[in-house]
Amino acid sequence: MIHYIVHGNADTVGVMTVDVKKGQTLSGWNMATDKTLRAKAVQDIPLGHKIALLDVAQGLEIVKYDVSIGRASRNIKKGQHVHTQNLRTARW
């Protein structure tokens, strides 16, 4: 089962294809490389939301589709839920 999809080579987040629970070991798929990825959810993450693929320090860019979608508004750990609580969008 694929739990999350990564769209680009430079992406720092993946997008959940199912709801996942804290502690769950996850399989991901990188569409750009066709490689299988592994991660562990450190929080519950709902379908359609993002998972951090690596640690991201506050102020650094979050990349999805090989494009910056914003900056981390606080430190984000690998496997954490990435959403409005820790991501400041690039649009506003």
Side-chain angles (χ1 to χ4, degrees):
M1 168 185 256
I2 300 297
H3 299 97
Y4 64 96
I5 295 174
V6 177
H7 296 90
N9 286 326
D11 288 6
T12 57
V13 293
V15 179
M16 304 311 302
T17 60
V18 294
D19 294 328
V20 298
K21 296 292 184 188
K22 178 181 178 178
Q24 192 172 345
T25 300
L26 310 174
S27 292
W29 175 52
N30 185 312
M31 293 174 66
T33 64
D34 197 31
K35 290 189 179 179
T36 300
L37 308 170
R38 302 276 179 239
K40 186 171 187 173
V42 298
Q43 296 173 299
D44 292 350
I45 308 172
L47 166 73
H49 286 232
K50 295 170 290 301
I51 184 171
L53 302 177
L54 47 88
D55 292 344
V56 180
Q58 181 178 358
L60 293 182
E61 289 184 321
I62 302 293
V63 178
K64 180 177 164 188
Y65 307 115
D66 280 332
V67 175
S68 174
I69 60 168
R71 296 191 177 275
S73 60
R74 61 179 70 171
N75 292 334
I76 302 171
K77 296 285 186 190
K78 180 179 179 177
Q80 273 189 311
H81 179 203
V82 178
H83 199 56
T84 57
Q85 77 279 5
N86 54 15
L87 170 63
R88 170 93 176 151
T89 182
R91 291 186 132 184
W92 299 294

